[in-house]
Amino acid sequence: KIVRVGITLPDTVNIYIEELDVVYSVQDGSGNWWLLTSDGRVVEKTTEEKAGKHTNIHGVLLDAPVAGKKAQALEIMARTMDQEEDPVVITNQDRLNTALTIAYELERRGIMNTVSIINVEDMTAIELWYGATYQIKLGNAGEMDKKLDLMNATIEKRENDGTSEGGILDITLEIYP
């Protein structure tokens, strides 16, 4: 992530290296797994076994990823979200951007390692898997900050109360005027 080189006279070279936080894995169009950061930078190609140790992003594939470059989604076919009057076209890049936004928000809350899957296949029914314990239904991408805060508070409360059973946590907030 960061490399700094400095010199301390008369004969010392100081090298400071801060590694990238790699916590997300996603497949490309050929079925290969890649690691990337929440800002969308592709880090390296990896095995399926190693990819399983990171948060998997489902519902989008990468297009010819290159280590060190920004990830681009493979555009197979844009899907349309039905609206009453004007249809909204959702691209795979939109899906990838939404998944990366969620990843960033998870990092910001310090819970990135607890989420095993971010699924953005259906942008009206985004899901997370909190380990193997909770399936989190988030609905659409709106009000994601509030939804993730509610998810975090609910799970913390259940853990503090000693509740160990999992289940489905539905946080599909709909804001009506």
Side-chain angles (χ1 to χ4, degrees), residues 1-57:
K1 186 175 187 177
I2 298 172
V3 176
R4 286 186 286 210
V5 178
I7 299 174
T8 304
L9 295 175
D11 59 358
T12 304
V13 175
N14 299 312
I15 301 173
Y16 171 79
I17 298 173
E18 183 179 333
E19 292 185 5
L20 289 168
D21 294 326
V22 180
V23 290
Y24 309 99
S25 57
V26 64
Q27 285 185 299
D28 65 12
S30 302
N32 298 311
W33 285 94
W34 293 82
L35 298 179
L36 68 154
T37 62
S38 64
D39 66 354
R41 188 179 332 172
V42 177
V43 177
E44 66 182 357
K45 188 176 179 179
T46 191
T47 64
E48 184 175 357
E49 180 182 337
K50 288 181 183 176
K53 296 178 182 176
H54 299 277
T55 301
N56 291 167
I57 296 174

Side-chain angles (χ1 to χ4, degrees), residues 143 146 172-177:
E143 303 290 332
K146 291 179 184 176
T172 54
L173 301 177
E174 294 292 330
I175 307 297
Y176 294 100

Side-chain angles (χ1 to χ4, degrees), residues 13 16 21 26 45 68 77 97-98 102-103 107 112 116 135:
V13 175
Y16 171 79
D21 294 326
V26 64
K45 188 176 179 179
M77 182 176 87
N97 292 341
T98 298
I102 292 169
E107 285 179 18
M112 64 198 159
S116 57
Q135 177 185 7

Side-chain angles (χ1 to χ4, degrees), residues 18-152:
E18 183 179 333
E19 292 185 5
L20 289 168
D21 294 326
V22 180
V23 290
Y24 309 99
S25 57
V26 64
Q27 285 185 299
D28 65 12
S30 302
N32 298 311
W33 285 94
W34 293 82
L35 298 179
L36 68 154
T37 62
S38 64
D39 66 354
R41 188 179 332 172
V42 177
V43 177
E44 66 182 357
K45 188 176 179 179
T46 191
T47 64
E48 184 175 357
E49 180 182 337
K50 288 181 183 176
K53 296 178 182 176
H54 299 277
T55 301
N56 291 167
I57 296 174
H58 292 193
V60 66
L61 300 172
L62 298 183
D63 186 15
V66 176
K69 302 286 184 182
K70 196 84 163 162
Q72 295 297 314
L74 179 63
E75 292 297 344
I76 300 167
M77 182 176 87
R79 297 181 206 152
T80 304
M81 288 177 53
D82 292 328
Q83 299 288 330
E84 289 186 17
E85 293 181 16
D86 296 322
V88 178
V89 176
I90 302 294
T91 66
N92 285 330
Q93 191 63 44
D94 294 333
R95 284 179 177 70
L96 180 60
N97 292 341
T98 298
L100 294 175
T101 298
I102 292 169
Y104 172 78
E105 291 299 327
L106 294 172
E107 285 179 18
R108 198 169 67 80
R109 287 167 175 76
I111 56 174
M112 64 198 159
N113 293 326
T114 56
V115 173
S116 57
I117 295 174
I118 300 171
N119 187 341
V120 292
E121 185 173 356
D122 181 349
M123 291 291 285
T124 62
I126 298 169
E127 291 182 347
L128 303 179
W129 279 90
Y130 194 91
T133 310
Y134 295 102
Q135 177 185 7
I136 315 294
K137 294 184 176 191
L138 297 172
N140 62 30
E143 303 290 332
M144 193 56 66
D145 261 0
K146 291 179 184 176
K147 292 174 185 179
L148 292 175
D149 285 342
L150 283 169
M151 174 196 81
N152 202 24

